[in-house]
Amino acid sequence: MSGPVANCPSCGAPVEFRWAGAVQTVCTYCQSVLVRHDLDLEAVGRKSLPPPVTSPVQLGTRGRYRDRPFEVTGRIAYEYERGGWSEWHLAFGDGRTGWLSDAQAEYAVSFLDPEPGQLPPADEVRPGQRIRLQGTDFVASTLTRARYVGVEGELPFEYWDKEQVPFVDLKAADGSFATLDYSEPAPLLYVGEYVAFADLALTELREAPERRVGGTRALNCPNCGAGVEILDPEHALNVVCGSCSSVLDARSPSLDVLQTFQAKLEVKPLIPMGAAGTWKGEEYRVLGFQQRTLRVEGTDYSWREYLLFSPREGYRYFTEYDGHWNDVIPLKTIPEESQAGGRPVARLHGETFKHFQSADARTTYVLGEFPWEVRFGDTVRTADFVAPPRMLSAETTEEETTWSLGEYTPGDRVWKAFGLEGKPPRPKGVYANQPSPHAGRAGAYWKTFGVLLLLWAVFWIGRAAMGSDELLTRSFSYEPGSEDLAVATTPAFELRGRPSALGVEVETDVANNWVFFNYALLNQETGQAIEFGREVSFYFGRDGGESWTEGDKKDEARVPAVPPGRYVLRIEPDGPAPVSYTVKVYHDVPSFGFFLVALLVLLVPPVFALMGSAAFETSRWAESDYAPEEDDD
């Protein structure tokens, strides 16, 4: 991809255009900004000395976006109070042009919308505001006032000497990306999407050594004179003196002091600065560390954050609180927020996260280096949503709202990945997104219970279907005061085999009365007797035209584990009125009480697991904004 050749009007050097549509370029010899008028070049009286490139991308880099080849022909460099980024101009083979935003190893491709419609003024946009663009709902994530600091290569328009340009970055739930650019009188809209570095299939990149994490730079702290080593001079904007904790400007040759730290607080990171390890198949290095603190009802709660960087994957964090660790990645998408069950929820990739807590968090300690400026006392508004083992977190300032996704991670995995000595601190209490140890166990127990319950039902039905053996049936009469009819004895019957239950069933003609039966099961061989008694009562009548009954004319008694032998049943009724009755004796009567006990035993493991899970969840939410209120009485 190439265009016409002309001479620089400032130094006379030849200027060859990579892209035929270029309107502006920069002379590679004298750094003059040149504006093209057909084949004539005009120097605008400006020198362009953009800051060094920290990206592997450079002029002439080639790649593909959605199977369309492009070449990088130009760059605009911006700085703002706490960072900077580059916009790379892309010339596609089909004549279309686009932009590759390159900020702290995060990339997005976007294109100018020539007819954006009515766009909001810069001073009316707030972080978190929803704006519909090109049929997609976007959320304003970052508001930046940036300063143009230089250009290089070829651009499709004249661009130089821009001061304090407002930009608004927007994100959508589907990963779309948009920028409102207020560098011109009428706002400009660029729309595209975040992309992974590997997906761009880039070639002609800067040399590999420039892309590694490392290449340290050693200087002295201007505040205390101690040595300061910058682990990643390509990306670092801040570095903190390990001796006096002063925040230093890593971009200045002499490490200008940005902030001094007077407090006596000192926090020792569990992972040393500069430690390297392999995490999820990628090599990472620990660059920065900060402690953040929030106050709830007069009590401070602090957690620690470790900033990690990989040349391929960019930045991620490890967070630690009371021995609980999370692996956290910045999100390029915006979760969908709504209300459910009277509390806020957030949805991401089909998963629902419940709001856990909102608070103001401030930075109370900083160590190491960061690709953005970090200060002691920095304060953000945080909102956490949980769906264990994951946690969605939003951090909001006046300029931006950023979302991240954390996953609960055992500390021993971190220790193994970074080869740390000893063991990680034991977790204390229950953390917001800590997975319940009872959840899987309770589910497994209930599945097992379901299988055993089915077997239990089969045995129950089978035993009931087998029934029992009827040994005899005899009818008798009872007359109060008559010795002949006071006691009855059944014929002898034989019980064989193992000890088993004996059933005695009596059916009477008692009416509005009662009768008590004294039974004695007599072993004719041993003389031993098993005695028991049962009452039978039955009453009926009418009350206000409604009939009623109470009791039953029948009764069943069960004698468990009767040994084998020859027996007779002796029956002695006692009651106020004559009664006729029929007695039946059954052998091998099924005991359904055993089945009920077995059912209760089967229920013990899943019920205890369920109770443990409930107790765990109670402990989790006790630390949230939705903790149960304590009774002061």
Side-chain angles (χ1 to χ4, degrees), residues 471-508:
L471 299 177
L472 61 85
T473 301
R474 288 292 185 272
S475 296
F476 304 96
S477 296
Y478 164 69
E479 184 75 35
S482 172
E483 294 183 3
D484 294 338
L485 300 178
V487 178
T489 302
T490 68
F493 53 86
E494 190 80 21
L495 298 182
R496 295 185 177 87
R498 56 181 175 79
S500 59
L502 193 73
V504 178
E505 178 183 300
V506 61
E507 183 174 357
T508 72

Short mmCIF file of all heavy atoms in Angstrom, two decimals, residues 471-508:
data_model
loop_
_atom_site.label_atom_id
_atom_site.label_comp_id
_atom_site.label_asym_id
_atom_site.label_seq_id
_atom_site.Cartn_x
_atom_site.Cartn_y
_atom_site.Cartn_z
N LEU A 471 -53.64 -67.70 61.11
CA LEU A 471 -53.54 -68.95 61.87
C LEU A 471 -54.90 -69.46 62.34
O LEU A 471 -55.14 -70.68 62.33
CB LEU A 471 -52.61 -68.76 63.06
CG LEU A 471 -51.15 -68.38 62.72
CD1 LEU A 471 -50.36 -68.15 64.00
CD2 LEU A 471 -50.49 -69.46 61.87
N LEU A 472 -55.78 -68.57 62.76
CA LEU A 472 -57.11 -69.03 63.23
C LEU A 472 -58.05 -67.85 63.32
O LEU A 472 -57.61 -66.69 63.39
CB LEU A 472 -57.00 -69.74 64.58
CG LEU A 472 -56.45 -68.94 65.78
CD1 LEU A 472 -57.53 -68.14 66.47
CD2 LEU A 472 -55.80 -69.90 66.77
N THR A 473 -59.35 -68.18 63.33
CA THR A 473 -60.42 -67.21 63.55
C THR A 473 -61.43 -67.84 64.50
O THR A 473 -61.91 -68.95 64.23
CB THR A 473 -61.12 -66.83 62.23
OG1 THR A 473 -60.15 -66.28 61.34
CG2 THR A 473 -62.23 -65.82 62.49
N ARG A 474 -61.75 -67.13 65.57
CA ARG A 474 -62.73 -67.64 66.53
C ARG A 474 -63.61 -66.48 67.03
O ARG A 474 -63.13 -65.36 67.21
CB ARG A 474 -62.05 -68.29 67.74
CG ARG A 474 -61.39 -69.62 67.44
CD ARG A 474 -62.45 -70.69 67.13
NE ARG A 474 -61.85 -72.00 66.96
CZ ARG A 474 -61.39 -72.48 65.81
NH1 ARG A 474 -61.43 -71.70 64.72
NH2 ARG A 474 -60.88 -73.70 65.75
N SER A 475 -64.90 -66.85 67.26
CA SER A 475 -65.85 -65.85 67.76
C SER A 475 -66.24 -66.22 69.19
O SER A 475 -66.43 -67.40 69.52
CB SER A 475 -67.10 -65.80 66.87
OG SER A 475 -66.76 -65.38 65.58
N PHE A 476 -66.41 -65.15 70.03
CA PHE A 476 -66.75 -65.35 71.44
C PHE A 476 -67.76 -64.29 71.87
O PHE A 476 -67.96 -63.29 71.15
CB PHE A 476 -65.50 -65.25 72.31
CG PHE A 476 -64.40 -66.19 71.94
CD1 PHE A 476 -63.35 -65.77 71.12
CD2 PHE A 476 -64.41 -67.51 72.38
CE1 PHE A 476 -62.33 -66.65 70.78
CE2 PHE A 476 -63.39 -68.38 72.04
CZ PHE A 476 -62.34 -67.95 71.22
N SER A 477 -68.34 -64.55 73.04
CA SER A 477 -69.25 -63.56 73.64
C SER A 477 -68.78 -63.27 75.06
O SER A 477 -68.23 -64.16 75.74
CB SER A 477 -70.69 -64.08 73.65
OG SER A 477 -71.17 -64.25 72.35
N TYR A 478 -69.10 -62.06 75.48
CA TYR A 478 -68.75 -61.67 76.85
C TYR A 478 -70.00 -61.13 77.53
O TYR A 478 -70.73 -60.30 76.97
CB TYR A 478 -67.67 -60.60 76.83
CG TYR A 478 -67.52 -59.86 78.14
CD1 TYR A 478 -67.01 -60.50 79.28
CD2 TYR A 478 -67.91 -58.52 78.25
CE1 TYR A 478 -66.89 -59.82 80.48
CE2 TYR A 478 -67.76 -57.84 79.44
CZ TYR A 478 -67.26 -58.48 80.56
OH TYR A 478 -67.15 -57.80 81.76
N GLU A 479 -70.23 -61.63 78.76
CA GLU A 479 -71.37 -61.19 79.55
C GLU A 479 -70.83 -60.76 80.91
O GLU A 479 -70.25 -61.57 81.65
CB GLU A 479 -72.37 -62.34 79.75
CG GLU A 479 -73.62 -61.93 80.48
CD GLU A 479 -74.57 -61.11 79.61
OE1 GLU A 479 -74.65 -61.38 78.38
OE2 GLU A 479 -75.19 -60.18 80.14
N PRO A 480 -70.96 -59.50 81.27
CA PRO A 480 -70.45 -59.05 82.57
C PRO A 480 -71.06 -59.87 83.70
O PRO A 480 -72.26 -60.13 83.72
CB PRO A 480 -70.90 -57.59 82.63
CG PRO A 480 -71.09 -57.17 81.22
CD PRO A 480 -71.57 -58.39 80.50
N GLY A 481 -70.24 -60.35 84.64
CA GLY A 481 -70.71 -61.11 85.79
C GLY A 481 -70.83 -62.59 85.54
O GLY A 481 -71.12 -63.36 86.45
N SER A 482 -70.63 -63.05 84.32
CA SER A 482 -70.76 -64.48 83.99
C SER A 482 -69.35 -65.08 83.92
O SER A 482 -68.54 -64.69 83.08
CB SER A 482 -71.47 -64.66 82.64
OG SER A 482 -71.43 -66.01 82.24
N GLU A 483 -69.05 -66.02 84.82
CA GLU A 483 -67.73 -66.62 84.83
C GLU A 483 -67.49 -67.45 83.58
O GLU A 483 -66.36 -67.53 83.09
CB GLU A 483 -67.58 -67.50 86.08
CG GLU A 483 -67.59 -66.72 87.38
CD GLU A 483 -67.35 -67.63 88.58
OE1 GLU A 483 -67.13 -68.85 88.35
OE2 GLU A 483 -67.35 -67.12 89.70
N ASP A 484 -68.53 -68.10 83.07
CA ASP A 484 -68.35 -68.93 81.88
C ASP A 484 -67.97 -68.10 80.65
O ASP A 484 -67.25 -68.58 79.77
CB ASP A 484 -69.63 -69.71 81.58
CG ASP A 484 -69.94 -70.73 82.68
OD1 ASP A 484 -68.98 -71.10 83.40
OD2 ASP A 484 -71.10 -71.12 82.80
N LEU A 485 -68.48 -66.91 80.57
CA LEU A 485 -68.22 -66.07 79.39
C LEU A 485 -67.19 -64.99 79.67
O LEU A 485 -66.99 -64.10 78.88
CB LEU A 485 -69.53 -65.42 78.92
CG LEU A 485 -70.63 -66.38 78.50
CD1 LEU A 485 -71.89 -65.60 78.11
CD2 LEU A 485 -70.18 -67.26 77.35
N ALA A 486 -66.51 -65.07 80.82
CA ALA A 486 -65.55 -64.02 81.16
C ALA A 486 -64.20 -64.26 80.51
O ALA A 486 -63.48 -63.33 80.18
CB ALA A 486 -65.40 -63.92 82.68
N VAL A 487 -63.79 -65.51 80.37
CA VAL A 487 -62.47 -65.83 79.81
C VAL A 487 -62.66 -66.77 78.63
O VAL A 487 -63.45 -67.72 78.70
CB VAL A 487 -61.57 -66.49 80.88
CG1 VAL A 487 -60.22 -66.86 80.27
CG2 VAL A 487 -61.37 -65.57 82.07
N ALA A 488 -61.90 -66.52 77.54
CA ALA A 488 -61.95 -67.37 76.35
C ALA A 488 -60.53 -67.79 75.99
O ALA A 488 -59.58 -67.03 76.19
CB ALA A 488 -62.61 -66.63 75.18
N THR A 489 -60.40 -68.99 75.45
CA THR A 489 -59.08 -69.50 75.03
C THR A 489 -59.21 -70.08 73.63
O THR A 489 -60.14 -70.84 73.34
CB THR A 489 -58.58 -70.58 76.00
OG1 THR A 489 -58.51 -70.05 77.31
CG2 THR A 489 -57.19 -71.07 75.58
N THR A 490 -58.27 -69.71 72.78
CA THR A 490 -58.28 -70.19 71.39
C THR A 490 -57.69 -71.58 71.33
O THR A 490 -56.98 -72.02 72.25
CB THR A 490 -57.47 -69.25 70.48
OG1 THR A 490 -56.08 -69.36 70.84
CG2 THR A 490 -57.92 -67.82 70.60
N PRO A 491 -57.97 -72.32 70.27
CA PRO A 491 -57.27 -73.58 70.05
C PRO A 491 -55.75 -73.34 69.91
O PRO A 491 -55.31 -72.23 69.61
CB PRO A 491 -57.88 -74.10 68.75
CG PRO A 491 -59.19 -73.38 68.63
CD PRO A 491 -58.99 -72.06 69.24
N ALA A 492 -54.98 -74.35 70.13
CA ALA A 492 -53.53 -74.23 70.00
C ALA A 492 -53.13 -74.04 68.53
O ALA A 492 -53.80 -74.54 67.62
CB ALA A 492 -52.86 -75.47 70.59
N PHE A 493 -52.06 -73.31 68.34
CA PHE A 493 -51.52 -73.09 66.98
C PHE A 493 -50.00 -73.14 67.05
O PHE A 493 -49.39 -72.92 68.10
CB PHE A 493 -52.01 -71.77 66.39
CG PHE A 493 -51.78 -70.56 67.27
CD1 PHE A 493 -50.58 -69.87 67.24
CD2 PHE A 493 -52.78 -70.13 68.16
CE1 PHE A 493 -50.39 -68.76 68.04
CE2 PHE A 493 -52.59 -69.02 68.96
CZ PHE A 493 -51.39 -68.32 68.91
N GLU A 494 -49.42 -73.51 65.91
CA GLU A 494 -47.97 -73.74 65.85
C GLU A 494 -47.28 -72.58 65.13
O GLU A 494 -47.73 -72.13 64.06
CB GLU A 494 -47.70 -75.04 65.10
CG GLU A 494 -46.26 -75.51 65.15
CD GLU A 494 -45.95 -76.22 66.46
OE1 GLU A 494 -46.89 -76.70 67.12
OE2 GLU A 494 -44.77 -76.30 66.82
N LEU A 495 -46.18 -72.06 65.72
CA LEU A 495 -45.32 -71.06 65.08
C LEU A 495 -44.00 -71.71 64.74
O LEU A 495 -43.33 -72.27 65.63
CB LEU A 495 -45.08 -69.86 66.01
CG LEU A 495 -46.31 -69.06 66.44
CD1 LEU A 495 -45.90 -67.89 67.33
CD2 LEU A 495 -47.10 -68.56 65.23
N ARG A 496 -43.61 -71.67 63.46
CA ARG A 496 -42.38 -72.33 63.02
C ARG A 496 -41.40 -71.29 62.43
O ARG A 496 -41.79 -70.18 62.07
CB ARG A 496 -42.70 -73.38 61.95
CG ARG A 496 -43.53 -74.55 62.46
CD ARG A 496 -43.68 -75.61 61.36
NE ARG A 496 -44.42 -76.79 61.84
CZ ARG A 496 -45.72 -76.91 61.81
NH1 ARG A 496 -46.45 -75.92 61.32
NH2 ARG A 496 -46.30 -78.00 62.26
N GLY A 497 -40.16 -71.72 62.32
CA GLY A 497 -39.15 -70.86 61.70
C GLY A 497 -38.55 -69.87 62.68
O GLY A 497 -38.52 -70.10 63.89
N ARG A 498 -38.11 -68.76 62.14
CA ARG A 498 -37.44 -67.73 62.93
C ARG A 498 -38.47 -66.96 63.76
O ARG A 498 -39.68 -66.99 63.44
CB ARG A 498 -36.72 -66.74 62.00
CG ARG A 498 -37.65 -66.11 60.97
CD ARG A 498 -36.93 -65.16 60.05
NE ARG A 498 -37.81 -64.67 59.02
CZ ARG A 498 -38.72 -63.70 59.16
NH1 ARG A 498 -38.87 -63.13 60.36
NH2 ARG A 498 -39.48 -63.33 58.16
N PRO A 499 -38.04 -66.28 64.82
CA PRO A 499 -38.96 -65.41 65.56
C PRO A 499 -39.56 -64.36 64.64
O PRO A 499 -38.87 -63.75 63.82
CB PRO A 499 -38.07 -64.77 66.63
CG PRO A 499 -36.93 -65.72 66.79
CD PRO A 499 -36.70 -66.31 65.43
N SER A 500 -40.85 -64.16 64.74
CA SER A 500 -41.53 -63.19 63.88
C SER A 500 -42.69 -62.58 64.62
O SER A 500 -43.08 -63.03 65.70
CB SER A 500 -42.01 -63.86 62.59
OG SER A 500 -42.90 -64.92 62.89
N ALA A 501 -43.26 -61.50 64.04
CA ALA A 501 -44.35 -60.77 64.69
C ALA A 501 -45.66 -61.53 64.57
O ALA A 501 -45.96 -62.17 63.55
CB ALA A 501 -44.49 -59.39 64.07
N LEU A 502 -46.45 -61.47 65.66
CA LEU A 502 -47.77 -62.09 65.69
C LEU A 502 -48.81 -60.98 65.75
O LEU A 502 -48.69 -60.04 66.53
CB LEU A 502 -47.89 -62.99 66.92
CG LEU A 502 -49.09 -63.94 66.94
CD1 LEU A 502 -48.85 -65.08 65.95
CD2 LEU A 502 -49.30 -64.49 68.34
N GLY A 503 -49.85 -61.07 64.92
CA GLY A 503 -50.90 -60.07 64.90
C GLY A 503 -52.18 -60.60 65.50
O GLY A 503 -52.56 -61.74 65.23
N VAL A 504 -52.84 -59.80 66.34
CA VAL A 504 -54.13 -60.16 66.94
C VAL A 504 -55.13 -59.09 66.55
O VAL A 504 -54.96 -57.91 66.88
CB VAL A 504 -54.02 -60.26 68.47
CG1 VAL A 504 -55.40 -60.58 69.06
CG2 VAL A 504 -53.01 -61.32 68.87
N GLU A 505 -56.17 -59.50 65.83
CA GLU A 505 -57.19 -58.56 65.36
C GLU A 505 -58.52 -58.94 66.02
O GLU A 505 -58.89 -60.12 66.04
CB GLU A 505 -57.32 -58.64 63.85
CG GLU A 505 -58.40 -57.72 63.28
CD GLU A 505 -58.56 -57.89 61.77
OE1 GLU A 505 -57.56 -57.65 61.05
OE2 GLU A 505 -59.66 -58.27 61.34
N VAL A 506 -59.23 -57.98 66.58
CA VAL A 506 -60.52 -58.22 67.21
C VAL A 506 -61.56 -57.31 66.58
O VAL A 506 -61.29 -56.13 66.32
CB VAL A 506 -60.45 -58.01 68.74
CG1 VAL A 506 -60.07 -56.57 69.08
CG2 VAL A 506 -61.78 -58.39 69.40
N GLU A 507 -62.73 -57.86 66.29
CA GLU A 507 -63.85 -57.09 65.74
C GLU A 507 -65.04 -57.32 66.66
O GLU A 507 -65.42 -58.46 66.92
CB GLU A 507 -64.16 -57.53 64.33
CG GLU A 507 -65.27 -56.71 63.69
CD GLU A 507 -65.49 -57.05 62.21
OE1 GLU A 507 -64.71 -57.89 61.68
OE2 GLU A 507 -66.41 -56.48 61.62
N THR A 508 -65.65 -56.20 67.14
CA THR A 508 -66.72 -56.29 68.15
C THR A 508 -68.00 -55.67 67.63
O THR A 508 -68.02 -55.07 66.55
CB THR A 508 -66.29 -55.55 69.42
OG1 THR A 508 -66.32 -54.16 69.19
CG2 THR A 508 -64.88 -55.96 69.87
#
